[in-house]
Amino acid sequence: MEKPLRSKTDSFIIFYFTLILGIIFAFWILSRGLILSYSDAIYRLSIARSIIDSLEPGLVNIGGIWPPLPQIVMLIFVWNDFLFYSGLAGTIPSLIIFSFSCVLIYKFAYEMFEDKKLSLLSLSIYAANINILYFSSVPMSEIYSSLFLVSSTYYFYKWTIDNKISSLILAGFSVMLGTFVRYDLWPLLLFFVLLIITKFTIIDSKIDFSIKNFIKNLRLNYHKIEGVIIFYAIPAIFGISGWIFYSWIILGDPLYFLNSVYAAGHLDIASSGLVNLPTKYNLSRSILIYSSAVIYMVGPIFLLSIVIFIYMLRRLDMKTLSIFILFTPFIFYIFSLYAGNGTIRVPNFFPYGKWNIRYGLIMLPFVALTIPNIFMIITSKIKKKIIFIIFGILLINYSFLIFDFQPIEDQNAPSIKNLAREINRNYDGGKILVASKIIPWEVMYYSHIPYKEYIILNNNPIWNESINFPSNHSKWILDIELNELERNYLIEDFGKFSEIEAKSYYVKYNIQTINYGKIKLLKIKELNRS
Amino acid sequence: MKVKKDALFIPEKYSAKNNISVRTIGLLLLILFSILLGIWLLFGINPIIIFIGLTTIYYLFSLLFKLYLVSNSKNSDILKISEKDIKDINNKKLPHYSILIPLYREKEIVKQLLAEIKNMDWPKDKLDVKILLEEDDKDTIGYIKNEKLPNYFDIIIVPNSYPKTKPKALNVGMMRIKGKYVTIYDAEDMPEKDQLKKAYLSFQKLPKDYICIQAKLNYYNKDQNWLTKLFTSEYATWFDFYLPGLMSKNYPIPLGGTSNHFKADILKKIGAWDSYNVTEDCDLGMRIHRLGYKIAIMDSTTWEEANSEIDNWIRQRSRWIKGYIQTFIVHMRNPRRTLKEFGLENFIVFLFFVGASPVTPILNLFFWILTIVWFLTHASFIQYLFPPMIFYPALFSLYFGNFIIIYLSMVGCINREFYNIIKWSLLSPVYWLLMAFAAIKASWQMIVNPHFWEKTKHGLYLWKNH
């Protein structure tokens, strides 16, 4: 049995090695112009930037739809124009987060297997994955989710071994930080609570599943279970309630992320173009679609990891249960697809596409930490060698997909870039009123006009006043026409302003129209007195 | 040596005997007011906004400093003495150990302490117990005299003179002790059996400049009611994290009221306790540090009785807070000298732990009222007082700051494996509210009756159990 004598040195080496790996990959991504392929990347950068560059700078601009942590981290770099417009303002923190997640994957594996080779195998499966490398190079939240999923599970597992308060605190705070990254991580808390109960009632009593034993241990350890659950869960509850508190104080609605027109459910449906979700109330299809997404993002070894995991379930211990925690996003997404709360498209099944296929990536830590267990199951040395070779080939093969790598690009991106350039060319100063509750961050971003020149929904009451009397504050109007689907789903929420009302500007004002299809740029020349 | 009526052995300038006058307070307030008014007139900034801004900075500093102490607490050399170390002690080589037990109207509960003392692991021929009884407390005197105590117990009658405080009694007792080391136990205390030996071994292990070793304090009646639960969680954090954190950085340590073990000769040399200070332990802790000596925290607990009644709790806490104010005034009579003796870092710690402690609960109350008013009325004047530069840090402080402090008290509980108390820590804001009332009472008493010793009623738990 190896001892983690050099664990600090190992961590140090892994951190810098994976950082260099990430940097090389990021440069490659940058050179191919793929950093901002996802429109969400631009939104996140823009939200961060608007905290310091907007008509009314301040934390209020962090909004209430996405949990704020990635945007707050990006805040460190977005002030710099080069870093902001290149996307590197989001890439730099993502790379660092990636390296931390690699260190934790290694430490977690070492804690479980007490074997450096197997720990390195876990690390390789994780760090050599082309998609995790991609999402470590872009201003998205995937890598943050991965980090906090791993760290919360790792420290929890560590606590079950060393019984140190510090491990429990770190586990609790990891969940808390996770709640500030993605709503998908909120249910983690529930699973951990169940795990604590299981630990004190079943696992610690030599795995006795009888109800009698369960009740006996529950009574015996009641205060301990209660205390540990509260102590562990309170940071996460605090994180969740903090976000609700913020929404209440700043945005006026404690459930803004659910009720707003930007709520994920609304936008997913509107943007995906699907009215009837094929996975809704169809469990097998939900499983099929999400499994395909995972295989697309993680690779076919996901299937092998499932087989190994099922085998591991024969022995219910903290190791297996911790790996189960890493598996819980699978349950969450299937439930989400089944309930019709979101949608994912995969290339092989109707409705074909890659919409939200990236959600499959969250299963990578599960795969990375499950696969090495096969060496704990198979003990023969020859078999081990053969399996190692097979994995080597699989891994290298998968990593070499890099040469065929093409992330999902926003189909509208080229036209938006052209439109933004045109706006920039025509723009000769003055405020631009965005006459829609949709904030066209991509257009604003690529226009390279400072955000403080735009009057957007966030700038109430100026925005409200400008909608009725545009010339009071603005010289330009950016009029966004909604497509039919968006109208169907969003028009009620969007209130009084619509393209129809926009036409009233043509009556009220002497307007020069620069038409870019869906988006029109209107220049207010003077008030039409007639 | 002839003992003065007030048993004060330190120069008056280091004592709380002379209180700050109302005139001085008025003058200080006038200066402060003038400065703020000047800022308003010269720079056009509302002094209330400046005040709120400074308070926000203080809150953030306070939060970071507490986290810093907690993170360092586990690095401190909390003296861990093994059972084997204790077994290996040659009893014949042990010196005399003195124990001071100040009592006042506590005959009902002293029995348990006397039993604990008799049971302590220290050769009885080298034990020197001084029971300090107040001249006017005929009941307790009668009770003790009837108790047939072993010959290592001495009864000392403390003359009925002003001030009528515990430190005066201790100083009277101090003149009669025989021990090389001395410690104090209150009537309701239950020290761990081997505490004296642990303290003795700790002194042997530590460098010579360590003249005091504080045992940890906690409560045996933690489950009595919600107040004792919250009191317990507060103490668990204070003695298990904050004080060890202070010790790890060699910062000045405000001592706890009992179970502090001293080298007797040096304690006498530095003038022992200030008879006029109602939180004499805190003052002594500061004085020890200023004089270049050190204090250590040892891993032994004395179990006390937590106050279980609100009015009684407020009385006790208001006395503590009043004593902190006294201590602050005493050590700030000559700030330059205090700064020089402490050094800048320790001086800041002193300002934070002693100076700010009485003010913080009142400030908390002010900000909570402001927050509630804002939620109820959305009054624009409150928004005006919080411009964005102050609003966001203040919001952070309100939400994160309070959460972290509550969480730290949970850490204290889980560290002691007080699992059933963890959930009660969530009620800490209620406890802080009581602190605010105590602080207001203390501030008022500081003006009208500075040396008055608010006697804490003990034995409530025992009576209930009987």
Side-chain angles (χ1 to χ4, degrees):
Chain A
M1 187 172 124
E2 292 181 57
K3 287 185 177 176
L5 287 175
R6 281 161 46 82
S7 64
K8 275 195 177 170
T9 321
D10 289 351
S11 302
F12 192 75
I13 292 168
I14 290 164
F15 182 85
Y16 284 102
F17 173 77
T18 52
L19 191 62
I20 291 165
L21 175 73
I23 289 170
I24 293 168
F25 191 85
F27 267 106
W28 181 73
I29 291 289
L30 184 67
S31 69
R32 292 187 63 187
L34 298 174
I35 284 191
L36 301 171
S37 289
Y38 279 94
S39 49
D40 281 8
I42 293 171
Y43 297 167
R44 287 187 188 274
L45 280 170
S46 297
I47 288 170
R49 172 84 168 201
S50 66
I51 293 167
I52 49 169
D53 170 21
S54 75
L55 195 63
E56 294 165 300
L59 262 183
V60 66
N61 296 298
I62 201 107
I65 295 302
W66 281 327
L69 190 64
Q71 294 82 274
I72 288 173
V73 174
M74 287 174 203
L75 200 55
I76 305 166
F77 301 102
V78 285
W79 57 270
N80 180 286
D81 279 353
F82 168 72
L83 295 176
F84 174 60
Y85 286 116
S86 62
L88 290 175
T91 302
I92 296 167
S94 289
L95 286 172
I96 295 167
I97 298 275
F98 166 66
S99 294
F100 275 121
S101 67
C102 287
V103 170
L104 287 177
I105 285 277
Y106 177 82
K107 287 174 86 167
F108 198 169
Y110 195 89
E111 201 75 53
M112 284 202 286
F113 309 124
E114 292 175 340
D115 182 306
K116 280 197 177 178
K117 282 180 200 157
L118 294 184
S119 309
L120 283 172
L121 179 65
S122 278
L123 176 66
S124 310
I125 292 170
Y126 183 80
N129 181 287
I130 186 81
N131 291 306
I132 199 81
L133 280 167
Y134 175 73
F135 282 101
S136 305
S137 312
V138 296
M140 300 283 279
S141 63
E142 269 65 19
I143 192 64
Y144 294 78
S145 300
S146 191
L147 172 72
F148 294 121
L149 175 65
V150 174
S151 63
S152 57
T153 317
Y154 164 66
Y155 286 114
F156 186 86
Y157 179 68
K158 199 163 177 279
W159 169 70
T160 63
I161 292 167
D162 64 21
N163 209 20
K164 282 187 181 170
I165 301 168
S166 56
S167 300
L168 197 59
I169 292 174
L170 286 168
F173 274 82
S174 293
V175 181
M176 183 189 103
L177 290 172
T179 63
F180 282 130
V181 171
R182 287 271 282 266
Y183 299 113
D184 324 3
L185 296 182
W186 288 20
L188 258 188
L189 183 62
L190 180 70
F191 288 110
F192 275 116
V193 167
L194 292 175
L195 202 60
I196 290 169
I197 297 170
T198 312
K199 174 183 156 45
F200 287 124
T201 53
I202 299 171
I203 307 288
D204 286 357
S205 63
K206 294 175 185 169
I207 314 177
D208 182 348
F209 284 100
S210 66
I211 294 176
K212 197 178 154 192
N213 174 66
F214 177 80
I215 292 170
K216 189 187 95 187
N217 284 320
L218 194 64
R219 278 192 188 148
L220 207 67
N221 296 312
Y222 178 76
H223 284 305
K224 195 169 184 183
I225 293 170
E226 176 202 80
V228 171
I229 286 176
I230 292 172
F231 184 75
Y232 177 76
I234 206 73
I237 292 171
F238 165 79
I240 293 167
S241 54
W243 190 232
I244 291 169
F245 181 67
Y246 166 87
S247 302
W248 187 21
I249 298 243
I250 305 289
L251 306 167
D253 179 2
L255 298 177
Y256 183 81
F257 56 92
L258 284 178
N259 300 334
S260 149
V261 290
Y262 295 104
H266 288 191
L267 285 189
D268 263 10
I269 294 165
S271 315
S272 66
L274 293 171
V275 179
N276 297 313
L277 299 172
T279 55
K280 196 169 181 178
Y281 305 133
N282 186 335
L283 186 62
S284 57
R285 194 160 188 89
S286 300
I287 296 172
L288 187 72
I289 295 285
Y290 188 64
S291 300
S292 303
V294 178
I295 291 169
Y296 187 87
M297 297 307 286
V298 176
I301 46 172
F302 171 65
L303 296 174
L304 183 63
S305 67
I306 290 285
V307 174
I308 297 169
F309 181 59
I310 291 169
Y311 185 85
M312 286 173 71
L313 283 174
R314 285 158 36 122
R315 194 182 158 194
L316 200 64
D317 53 12
M318 284 319 294
K319 188 166 100 175
T320 310
L321 288 176
S322 299
I323 287 184
F324 171 73
I325 290 287
L326 297 175
F327 182 75
T328 53
F330 192 84
I331 301 168
F332 170 80
Y333 278 112
I334 288 183
F335 176 78
S336 180
L337 289 172
Y338 178 79
N341 291 335
T343 176
I344 292 174
R345 289 186 185 199
V346 293
N348 301 327
F349 298 99
F350 177 79
Y352 311 103
K354 291 178 182 175
W355 175 260
N356 283 342
I357 198 168
R358 62 197 158 95
Y359 292 166
L361 191 61
I362 196 72
M363 295 307 293
L364 182 59
F366 165 77
V367 173
L369 287 156
T370 306
I371 293 291
N373 280 288
I374 198 167
F375 299 103
M376 312 299 278
I377 299 164
I378 300 168
T379 48
S380 154
K381 282 188 178 176
I382 302 164
K383 276 184 190 170
K384 275 190 179 180
K385 278 181 187 167
I386 294 167
I387 294 166
F388 236 119
I389 292 164
I390 292 168
F391 277 129
I393 293 166
L394 246 174
L395 209 64
I396 293 164
N397 176 47
Y398 199 72
S399 303
F400 269 80
L401 285 175
I402 195 169
F403 297 112
D404 187 34
F405 179 69
Q406 188 66 45
I408 303 92
E409 197 162 355
D410 190 330
Q411 289 170 349
N412 297 324
S415 61
I416 284 174
K417 281 181 193 170
N418 288 336
L419 160 66
R421 265 184 225 119
E422 282 298 306
I423 290 173
N424 184 294
R425 200 169 55 78
N426 282 288
Y427 177 74
D428 58 359
K431 297 276 183 261
I432 305 167
L433 168 67
V434 175
S436 163
K437 281 193 176 178
I438 287 181
I439 302 169
W441 287 118
E442 282 171 282
V443 178
M444 291 163 65
Y445 179 85
Y446 286 119
S447 75
H448 284 232
I449 297 168
Y451 286 0
K452 65 180 179 203
E453 300 300 338
Y454 287 93
I455 301 171
I456 56 176
L457 175 69
N458 296 357
N459 310 128
N460 254 334
I462 300 173
W463 182 80
N464 244 337
E465 187 192 328
S466 301
I467 284 292
N468 295 311
F469 308 100
S471 60
N472 281 7
H473 297 286
S474 50
K475 192 173 163 187
W476 301 84
I477 301 171
L478 206 58
D479 180 19
I480 301 168
E481 187 182 319
L482 304 175
N483 68 31
E484 197 181 332
L485 197 77
E486 287 165 337
R487 253 200 307 273
N488 284 343
Y489 273 85
L490 307 173
I491 203 80
E492 279 180 27
D493 298 323
F494 273 39
K496 64 177 181 177
F497 194 80
S498 69
E499 57 174 325
I500 300 154
E501 287 189 25
K503 283 175 188 167
S504 67
Y505 295 136
Y506 298 90
V507 182
K508 265 190 194 164
Y509 300 100
N510 184 1
I511 275 175
Q512 176 197 347
T513 307
I514 305 159
N515 201 331
Y516 301 113
K518 192 179 170 182
I519 298 177
K520 296 184 186 75
L521 182 69
L522 316 175
K523 184 173 186 180
I524 303 169
K525 287 189 169 173
E526 58 186 11
L527 199 62
N528 197 344
R529 305 276 177 201
S530 64
Chain B
M1 186 179 169
K2 196 186 170 194
V3 180
K4 290 191 285 182
K5 270 192 173 178
D6 60 3
L8 185 68
F9 302 121
I10 49 173
E12 283 191 9
K13 62 179 177 180
Y14 296 128
S15 162
K17 184 176 181 181
N18 300 315
N19 189 26
I20 191 165
S21 66
V22 178
R23 220 165 121 187
T24 315
I25 296 170
L27 191 68
L28 286 172
L29 286 175
L30 192 69
I31 293 169
L32 183 71
F33 181 72
S34 309
I35 292 170
L36 294 176
L37 191 69
I39 291 170
W40 197 0
L41 294 174
L42 285 174
F43 305 105
I45 306 169
N46 188 327
I48 302 173
I49 294 176
I50 295 174
F51 166 75
I52 291 175
L54 290 174
T55 314
T56 304
I57 292 171
Y58 160 70
Y59 275 123
L60 294 174
F61 169 78
S62 161
L63 179 66
L64 290 176
F65 185 62
K66 282 179 176 167
L67 285 173
Y68 176 69
L69 288 182
V70 171
S71 65
N72 276 295
S73 62
K74 294 292 166 192
N75 305 332
S76 74
D77 303 321
I78 299 176
L79 301 158
K80 300 228 182 230
I81 310 285
S82 68
E83 279 183 27
K84 188 182 173 301
D85 292 337
I86 292 172
K87 269 187 186 171
D88 289 348
I89 291 176
N90 182 352
N91 279 350
K92 286 179 185 167
K93 288 188 178 174
L94 288 176
H96 274 86
Y97 215 117
S98 296
I99 298 174
L100 297 175
I101 305 173
L103 299 178
Y104 189 55
R105 292 176 186 163
E106 287 166 311
K107 70 168 187 176
E108 290 86 353
I109 48 162
V110 73
K111 198 169 186 175
Q112 67 172 17
L113 175 66
L114 297 178
E116 295 289 332
I117 300 285
K118 287 177 197 167
N119 199 29
M120 285 203 97
D121 181 13
W122 193 268
K124 298 297 177 278
D125 57 333
K126 290 178 178 176
L127 205 54
D128 168 40
V129 184
K130 306 288 185 208
I131 301 180
L132 312 170
L133 301 166
E134 296 287 335
E135 195 177 5
D136 63 342
D137 184 11
K138 303 294 179 201
D139 275 0
T140 316
I141 292 173
Y143 174 81
I144 293 288
K145 282 189 173 167
N146 287 334
E147 264 295 291
K148 291 181 186 166
L149 294 167
N151 59 0
Y152 53 89
F153 280 83
D154 264 349
I155 297 169
I156 298 174
I157 306 295
V158 181
N160 189 14
S161 60
Y162 189 83
K164 207 168 180 54
T165 60
K166 174 177 156 187
K168 188 191 81 176
L170 292 173
N171 280 350
V172 170
M174 191 66 195
M175 293 299 101
R176 305 260 299 267
I177 61 163
K178 293 188 276 191
K180 185 178 178 188
Y181 303 108
V182 59
T183 189
I184 311 144
Y185 291 125
D186 282 347
E188 83 280 12
D189 284 0
M190 291 170 71
E192 284 177 358
K193 194 182 163 188
D194 54 5
Q195 193 173 96
L196 298 183
K197 283 194 171 172
K198 278 188 174 176
Y200 167 75
L201 286 175
S202 303
F203 276 124
Q204 310 309 307
K205 278 186 176 183
L206 287 165
K208 278 188 176 172
D209 53 352
Y210 280 86
I211 64 156
C212 173
I213 296 171
Q214 168 77 57
K216 293 176 176 179
L217 305 180
N218 218 302
Y219 296 121
Y220 51 72
N221 63 328
K222 64 182 171 62
D223 294 325
Q224 191 181 340
N225 61 23
W226 66 274
L227 188 59
T228 61
K229 284 177 176 128
L230 287 169
F231 209 166
T232 303
S233 77
E234 182 196 16
Y235 255 39
T237 317
W238 180 260
F239 281 99
D240 295 342
F241 289 96
Y242 292 156
L243 294 194
L246 288 172
M247 178 191 162
S248 73
K249 292 281 145 194
N250 273 328
Y251 291 145
I253 296 177
L255 290 171
T258 84
S259 309
N260 17 54
H261 301 251
F262 298 93
K263 287 179 179 170
D265 54 340
I266 300 181
L267 183 61
K268 281 180 188 167
K269 195 173 121 190
I270 65 172
W273 294 273
D274 174 5
S275 306
Y276 288 91
N277 195 313
V278 294
T279 313
E280 75 295 340
D281 37 11
C282 170
D283 170 68
L284 184 57
M286 297 302 120
R287 191 146 33 91
I288 286 173
H289 203 281
R290 282 182 67 180
L291 294 169
Y293 297 110
K294 288 178 182 167
I295 298 166
I297 311 290
M298 75 170 158
D299 196 21
S300 172
T301 302
T302 295
W303 300 93
E304 300 191 285
E305 185 198 7
N307 236 315
S308 54
E309 287 180 355
I310 292 178
D311 56 342
N312 199 28
W313 184 93
I314 288 181
R315 266 205 303 277
Q316 183 186 48
R317 187 54 60 114
S318 69
R319 173 167 58 76
W320 292 356
I321 294 175
K322 188 168 72 177
Y324 269 61
I325 301 172
Q326 285 181 325
T327 306
F328 182 72
I329 292 169
V330 165
H331 292 270
M332 287 301 279
R333 282 198 182 123
N334 188 343
R336 195 184 290 176
R337 184 169 174 179
T338 307
L339 173 63
K340 197 179 158 194
E341 287 175 1
F342 267 137
L344 181 63
E345 208 176 330
N346 293 323
F347 184 69
I348 292 170
V349 173
F350 161 74
L351 291 180
F352 175 73
F353 257 87
V354 180
S357 286
V359 186
T360 310
I362 299 173
L363 282 176
N364 290 343
L365 187 64
F366 169 72
F367 283 107
W368 293 332
I369 291 171
L370 220 55
T371 308
I372 291 166
V373 171
W374 188 83
F375 269 107
L376 293 177
T377 64
H378 283 262
S380 58
F381 83 94
I382 297 176
Q383 263 174 312
Y384 163 76
L385 294 177
F386 288 86
M389 232 175 88
I390 295 173
F391 175 71
Y392 290 110
L395 187 66
F396 177 87
S397 185
L398 173 73
Y399 198 74
F400 277 85
N402 283 317
F403 165 71
I404 295 291
I405 302 299
I406 292 171
Y407 192 71
L408 288 179
S409 68
M410 288 183 167
V411 172
C413 293
I414 203 164
N415 180 55
R416 285 255 170 192
E417 299 188 356
F418 295 160
Y419 295 111
N420 62 326
I421 293 183
I422 291 176
K423 63 174 176 285
W424 291 92
S425 300
L426 293 169
L427 279 183
S428 295
V430 178
Y431 191 69
W432 301 338
L433 194 66
L434 293 182
M435 262 188 212
F437 294 141
I440 292 167
K441 183 178 177 185
S443 308
W444 176 245
Q445 268 201 3
M446 188 61 210
I447 299 167
V448 298
N449 203 355
H451 303 136
F452 174 65
W453 186 276
E454 282 274 17
K455 180 72 190 141
T456 314
K457 224 190 294 171
H458 285 298
L460 297 170
Y461 175 67
L462 296 172
W463 295 334
K464 278 190 181 160
N465 276 347
H466 280 302

